[in-house]
Amino acid sequence: MITDMKRRIFLKGSLATGALGVALGAGLLVPQSVLAAWNKDAFSAKKVEDAIGALLGNPATETSDAVQIKAPDIAENGAVVPITVSTSMAAESISILAANNAMPLTSTFHLGEGAEGFISTRIKMGKTGDVIAVVKAGGKLYSARKSVKVTIGGCGG
Amino acid sequence: MSNTIKVRAKSSGGVADIKCLITHPMEQGNRKDKTTGEDIKPHFIQDVTIEINGKAIVSGSFSGAISKNPYLACKAKANPGDTLKISWADNLGNKDSAEDQVK
């Protein structure tokens, strides 16, 4: 229990140097094509708006019922929070952010031809906050939010 | 590096449910080793690509905030017998890929 709490504190504290180290390491070791795909600015942004702006070129999103997030109301373990994002729109990309994480952007997915607007994965959440899904469709950005309560200690809510 | 990817894809009505599980520490780089007190270096998957018959249907980027041993599911048009390929690359240059057939 104690170790779990410690871990959570580390999850909260983000080190700017860590992000820089990643960038340097990536530059030295990862092939150019891969490097081009991974958006360092977006992933190291500390605010939701900055991350969306760096990733998709525009921080403004329109809240839409056509974007659905399936996530637990209460996550007993912030290290593994299952998230499913689905949309009926013809999505070009789906991005998943955790608003209160030190670096909110957790993942982004470009959907090619033949892919449906559906992504399911598991994310880490440092503390209670909104999970935000951003869907790009028809050149516009649509978003949805869902609040997830992260209980510390894992003994239930 | 091999056998880090488990994948299952089942097609019904022309749309396949694709689920994959990758074995990876997904270390964010903001923890310290409890015994030595040294920083644990970031080590996480940055890029994941899912291809069907050689065409990328989903290309994703992860941060360290994806859970350890990442799970990823998506849906795409595919028929039984199509070739499915999953590949990933992490920030240290490790990579792996797996191929399977859509069932």
Side-chain angles (χ1 to χ4, degrees), chain A:
Chain A
M1 209 77 69
I2 289 164
T3 54
D4 200 33
M5 282 177 76
K6 272 187 186 165
R7 211 190 61 77
R8 220 164 281 278
I9 291 161
F10 288 128
L11 267 176
K12 279 186 200 170
S14 87
L15 296 171
T17 49
L20 196 65
V22 174
L24 287 172
L28 289 170
L29 294 163
V30 180
Q32 203 63 39
S33 59
V34 172
L35 189 65
W38 202 77
N39 190 325
K40 188 195 125 203
D41 288 348
F43 279 110
S44 54
K46 299 223 171 3
K47 286 184 184 159
V48 171
E49 292 78 18
D50 294 348
I52 297 172
L55 183 71
L56 300 160
N58 179 3
T61 62
E62 193 181 304
T63 306
S64 169
D65 291 342
V67 180
Q68 273 118 30
I69 303 177
K70 200 174 128 196
D73 294 325
I74 296 171
E76 293 187 7
N77 181 359
V80 184
V81 184
I83 306 285
T84 300
V85 177
S86 57
T87 176
S88 51
M89 294 184 283
E92 294 163 41
S93 76
I94 293 178
S95 307
I96 302 170
L97 298 95
N100 284 352
N101 276 11
M103 288 176 279
L105 183 61
T106 66
S107 54
T108 179
F109 303 91
H110 283 277
L111 304 181
E113 202 181 318
E116 309 259 305
F118 176 95
I119 288 289
S120 181
T121 188
R122 301 189 293 216
I123 68 169
K124 297 176 194 167
M125 290 180 71
K127 55 186 163 184
T128 297
D130 282 358
V131 170
I132 304 168
V134 179
V135 171
K136 186 179 181 188
K140 286 181 81 177
L141 301 179
Y142 302 92
S143 66
R145 284 173 175 260
K146 184 176 190 312
S147 171
V148 175
K149 186 180 172 199
V150 177
T151 54
I152 296 179
C155 300

